Amino acid sequence: MLVQGLIYHSDALPAATEISGFPKVTVWLAMDVPDTDLEVTLYEILSDGSSIQLSSANMRARYRESLRQEKPVPPGKAEKYVFDNFTFFSRQVAKGSRLRLVVVVSTHHRAKRTTTVEVL
């Protein structure tokens, strides 16, 4: 599947639930370029459809293994990306809310762009 992002939704929570900490997300992606900027964001989606951003993390793909040494992404090869730099949050998520996880190629004006990302 070729995309510039994807969205995952949880089931509605059966009861109000406290969620606290630093999220960690691991994804496997294949790209058609040697580098890009990626962003992962976690939201609470309320029963009325409105959203509240809970936390986010980003990564320049060439630094996926080490922040000290860049390694170009081999085009077309699935690589592991671990997002462990989320900001801390603590929230009482409402009954009936869902969690939304969004993984995208960053659209920030300083971000390195890519044409497609294959989600595996």
Side-chain angles (χ1 to χ4, degrees), residues 18-44:
E18 181 184 334
I19 301 176
S20 299
F22 297 94
K24 181 177 179 180
V25 173
T26 301
V27 296
W28 286 84
L29 304 171
M31 293 185 250
D32 63 354
V33 294
D35 195 24
T36 194
D37 289 315
L38 301 166
E39 185 175 328
V40 178
T41 308
L42 180 63
Y43 297 90
E44 175 184 359

Side-chain angles (χ1 to χ4, degrees), residues 11-19 44 91-98:
D11 291 332
L13 297 176
T17 305
E18 181 184 334
I19 301 176
E44 175 184 359
R91 179 162 175 84
Q92 182 81 12
V93 177
K95 176 182 178 179
S97 287
R98 295 178 296 144

Side-chain angles (χ1 to χ4, degrees), residues 47-68:
S47 57
D48 69 1
S50 61
S51 65
I52 299 168
Q53 182 175 331
L54 301 175
S55 188
S56 65
N58 56 50
M59 175 189 305
R60 181 148 292 171
R62 69 176 175 234
Y63 293 108
R64 68 198 172 282
E65 295 179 8
S66 167
L67 292 175
R68 295 176 184 241

